[in-house]
């Protein structure tokens, strides 16, 4: 599952990407520095994994991961191909969620592509380009569907109504995710179109070091502007976070964070937020060989969760032995959980809960 970082040039996208992935994407004070989308696989910080490691003392620990794609800066006119726009919009389309970086700091040494700092204007610029691209896709589809609807095809007539509602919404500057439609219509007619503004979004406000712990008035303006969008808003000092990742030791990094009034890097908050945005959760396997976090979509059944380890586990699924994370920590070991009668045996219908510690029995 991929989350794509988007934003205007020079808002801190590549610096954020470096921070998250410790990959060294080019970061320069001019637009279009990142031509090819950089992809980083980022570990999801999870204190539960550390606790299980402490209790089990395994040979190795493997965290959950999420893929982050750094997409080059979009500009006005990107939907019409300005500034390599089509290529970038294609890259966004392939992601599952959007991390929209907004510049929320003043610094005369860093050029703003539009000459002044205004995160709301920047957000609207990007939104408009993405909406125009979606409008193009909807109109193409609508032309085809209209022909079928004219023949009296009831299904096509239903689809035409949904597409027309999308067209009207997009033309009035509303992103697809904010257009009122039934869940059924979304699933059937909207999802297959893979529209960019239908993807879940998190606004990442890039603030200066002095606002790293508290945010600033720019952040408040962004919160007000996106209140109707059902989107998450977080703020972090991207440049400062990048400096922290350069420090050699964990102790040095912690001291730097404490000086800023932070308990953990903002990037950790962002990665966990991206994980939620992608509608993902974690279950664990815990044994002396390894303690591991596995990524599953929210609502996955026990066989589907088993299939993440190996397809044979799903095909030959018999049952799952399940311990709630809190029970594991309370009793301190698998053996003691069993003694206390807190291990459950679950079948094919079981919906896995975030944090479950699981063993699968299967037969192929």
């Amino acid at each position: 599952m991929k989350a794509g970082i988007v934003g205007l040039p020079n808002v801190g996208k590549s610096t954020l990407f470096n921070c998250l992935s410790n990959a060294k994407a080019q970061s320069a004070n001019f637009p279009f520095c990142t031509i090819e989308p950089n992809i980083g696989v980022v570990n999801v910080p999870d204190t539960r994994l550390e606790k299980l490691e402490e209790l089990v003392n395994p040979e190795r620990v493997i965290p959950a991961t999420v893929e982050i794609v750094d997409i080059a800066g979009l500009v006005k006119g990107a939907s019409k191909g300005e500034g390599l726009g089509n290529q970038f919009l294609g890259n966004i389309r392939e992601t599952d969620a959007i991390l929209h970086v907004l510049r929320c700091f003043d610094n005369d040494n860093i050029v703003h592509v539009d000459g002044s700092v205004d995160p709301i204007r920047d957000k609207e610029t990007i939104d408009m380009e993405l909406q125009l691209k979606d409008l193009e896709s909807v109109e193409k589809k609508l032309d085809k569907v209209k022909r079928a609807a004219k023949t009296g095809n009831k299904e096509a007539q239903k689809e035409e109504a949904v597409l027309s509602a999308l067209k009207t919404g997009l033309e009035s500057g509303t992103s697809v995710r904010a257009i009122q439609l039934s869940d059924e219509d979304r699933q059937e007619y909207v999802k297959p179109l893979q529209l960019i503004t239908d993807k879940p979004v998190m606004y990442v406000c890039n603030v200066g070091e002095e606002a790293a712990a508290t945010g600033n008035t720019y952040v408040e303006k962004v919160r007000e502007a996106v209140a109707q969008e059902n989107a998450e808003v977080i703020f972090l000092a991207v440049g400062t976070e990048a400096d922290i990742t350069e420090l050699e030791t964990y102790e040095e990094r912690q001291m730097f964070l404490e000086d800023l009034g932070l308990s953990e890097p903002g990037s950790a908050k962002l990665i966990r937020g991206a994980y939620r945005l992608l509608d993902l959760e974690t279950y664990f396997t815990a044994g002396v060989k390894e303690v591991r976090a596995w990524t599953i979509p929210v609502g996955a059944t026990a066989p589907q969760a088993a299939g993440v380890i190996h397809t044979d586990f799903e095909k030959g699924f018999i049952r799952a032995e399940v311990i709630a994370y809190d029970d594991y920590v309370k009793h301190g070991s698998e053996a003691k959980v069993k003694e206390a009668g807190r291990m459950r045996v679950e079948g094919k219908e079981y919906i896995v809960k975030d944090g479950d510690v699981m063993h699968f029995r299967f037969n192929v």
Side-chain angles (χ1 to χ4, degrees):
M1 302 287 269
K2 290 181 193 170
I5 301 177
V6 305
L8 290 173
N10 289 355
V11 295
K13 294 182 316 303
S14 294
T15 310
L16 175 64
F17 176 80
N18 292 341
C19 226
L20 295 176
S21 65
N22 287 333
K24 297 290 173 239
Q26 295 161 291
S27 170
N29 190 10
F30 54 88
F32 311 128
C33 176
T34 322
I35 304 298
E36 285 302 314
N38 290 286
I39 298 181
V41 178
V42 184
N43 291 341
V44 178
D46 195 328
T47 52
R48 296 173 301 181
L49 199 60
E50 291 158 33
K51 187 67 187 169
L52 288 171
E53 179 184 9
E54 202 180 289
L55 295 172
V56 179
N57 195 21
E59 288 171 24
R60 59 184 186 160
V61 177
I62 302 176
T65 58
V66 66
E67 250 180 45
I68 305 285
V69 187
D70 178 26
I71 292 156
L74 281 167
V75 290
K76 217 172 264 174
S79 58
K80 299 277 178 280
E82 288 295 318
L84 303 176
N86 286 330
Q87 190 182 330
F88 303 158
L89 290 159
N91 293 331
I92 299 168
R93 184 161 279 140
E94 286 162 24
T95 65
D96 304 288
I98 293 173
L99 307 176
H100 186 160
V101 183
L102 295 167
R103 178 170 167 175
C104 292
F105 66 90
D106 295 302
N107 182 338
D108 294 340
N109 297 322
I110 298 176
V111 187
H112 189 291
V113 74
D114 286 330
S116 62
V117 177
D118 182 347
I120 308 307
R121 178 201 59 210
D122 295 355
K123 171 191 148 20
E124 285 166 358
T125 298
I126 296 265
D127 281 353
M128 199 206 291
E129 294 308 323
L130 301 184
Q131 287 160 3
L132 286 168
K133 198 69 187 166
D134 279 351
L135 184 58
E136 201 180 286
S137 305
V138 168
E139 284 175 338
K140 263 188 205 157
K141 181 73 176 169
L142 190 54
D143 283 346
K144 281 185 191 164
V145 171
K146 272 181 172 165
R147 287 197 289 275
K150 274 181 185 151
T151 66
N153 181 317
K154 291 273 185 287
E155 192 56 33
Q157 286 169 351
K158 204 173 167 194
E159 187 170 5
E160 183 186 2
V162 173
L163 291 170
S164 297
L166 290 180
K167 183 174 186 287
T168 305
L170 286 163
E171 283 172 342
S172 69
T174 306
S175 291
V176 172
R177 72 182 81 82
I179 296 171
Q180 296 300 308
L181 292 168
S182 72
D183 291 346
E184 197 183 314
D185 285 347
R186 274 190 182 281
Q187 202 54 41
E188 185 134 354
Y189 305 117
V190 183
K191 235 179 173 34
L193 294 174
Q194 282 188 298
L195 298 170
I196 301 168
T197 66
D198 192 34
K199 296 178 194 295
V201 65
M202 179 197 287
Y203 294 99
V204 182
C205 298
N206 182 10
V207 299
E209 187 172 314
E210 71 296 336
T214 55
N216 58 23
T217 51
Y218 289 133
V219 177
E220 291 316 309
K221 283 180 184 164
V222 172
R223 283 208 173 106
E224 281 168 34
V226 306
Q228 304 307 311
E229 278 192 48
N230 192 21
E232 207 166 325
V233 177
I234 70 162
F235 59 86
L236 65 160
V238 175
T240 308
E241 295 267 341
D243 293 342
I244 293 172
T245 61
E246 296 294 328
L247 296 171
E248 292 297 315
T249 67
Y250 174 77
E251 286 71 25
E252 282 178 304
R253 291 194 289 273
Q254 286 307 109
M255 275 169 65
F256 199 144
L257 286 169
E258 278 164 27
D259 287 348
L260 293 171
L262 299 171
S263 57
E264 65 171 353
S267 53
K269 259 192 321 200
L270 187 143
I271 295 161
R272 284 198 298 272
Y275 200 68
R276 285 195 304 275
L277 204 60
L278 292 164
D279 217 16
L280 301 175
E281 62 185 9
T282 301
Y283 77 86
F284 302 102
T285 49
V288 287
K289 283 264 182 248
E290 71 173 29
V291 164
R292 182 165 184 164
W294 299 90
T295 298
I296 51 169
V298 171
T301 60
Q304 286 166 337
V308 172
I309 299 177
H310 197 288
T311 49
D312 285 352
F313 282 31
E314 185 170 1
K315 281 183 203 147
F317 179 89
I318 299 168
R319 65 178 185 273
E321 292 165 0
V322 184
I323 302 169
Y325 169 77
D326 289 342
D327 284 338
Y328 205 109
V329 171
K330 181 181 169 186
H331 297 287
S333 74
E334 190 178 310
K336 286 187 176 150
V337 170
K338 281 180 181 168
E339 271 172 40
R342 299 297 295 168
M343 179 186 270
R344 308 189 314 277
V345 174
E346 300 286 2
K348 290 182 176 179
E349 305 303 311
Y350 178 66
I351 303 293
V352 179
K353 292 179 182 61
D354 187 54
D356 278 348
V357 182
M358 304 182 80
H359 281 304
F360 298 104
R361 301 289 173 207
F362 69 102
N363 181 25
V364 177

